[in-house]
Amino acid sequence: RVQQRLNGKVWHFLGKISYSVYLMHWLIVVIIMERWEKVVDFWGSTELAFATMLPFTIISTIILATFMYYFVEKPAIAYSKRVSSKFS
């Protein structure tokens, strides 16, 4: 039962873009932390700012990672396969 849930399309997709998520999450976190005082001032409290920025961070990381996967990672993998096939 658990295995069926873990074999879902969402988990499969997150697995495909996981390296891009790894690369992109720090970019988003750094951007937010550089502006953290302004974010807290805007929301009025640290707890509210964190509760709002966490979903924003997750969603924006997944969106950026998806673009990175399809426009950088996948073409790079295809290119490396073409190059390596010429040498084998």
Side-chain angles (χ1 to χ4, degrees):
R1 208 170 176 184
V2 172
Q3 188 175 6
Q4 287 176 338
R5 290 190 187 262
L6 291 177
N7 283 334
K9 291 179 182 181
V10 172
W11 295 113
H12 181 71
F13 173 73
L14 288 175
K16 284 191 338 185
I17 68 167
S18 63
Y19 184 67
S20 295
V21 168
Y22 167 74
L23 294 175
M24 290 291 102
H25 86 279
W26 275 114
L27 175 66
I28 301 298
V29 169
V30 166
I31 289 170
I32 291 172
M33 293 312 294
E34 284 179 350
R35 294 158 179 81
W36 185 246
E37 291 175 11
K38 292 179 183 178
V39 172
V40 171
D41 288 342
F42 178 79
W43 290 105
S45 74
T46 305
E47 293 82 13
L48 186 57
F50 180 79
T52 334
M53 295 312 291
L54 182 62
F56 171 78
T57 302
I58 293 169
I59 291 168
S60 58
T61 298
I62 290 172
I63 290 170
L64 280 176
T66 301
F67 281 113
M68 182 141 173
Y69 175 76
Y70 284 110
F71 295 113
V72 176
E73 191 175 340
K74 230 177 157 179
I77 291 169
Y79 176 74
S80 67
K81 285 182 181 179
R82 284 194 308 269
V83 169
S84 67
S85 69
K86 290 181 181 181
F87 290 110
S88 58

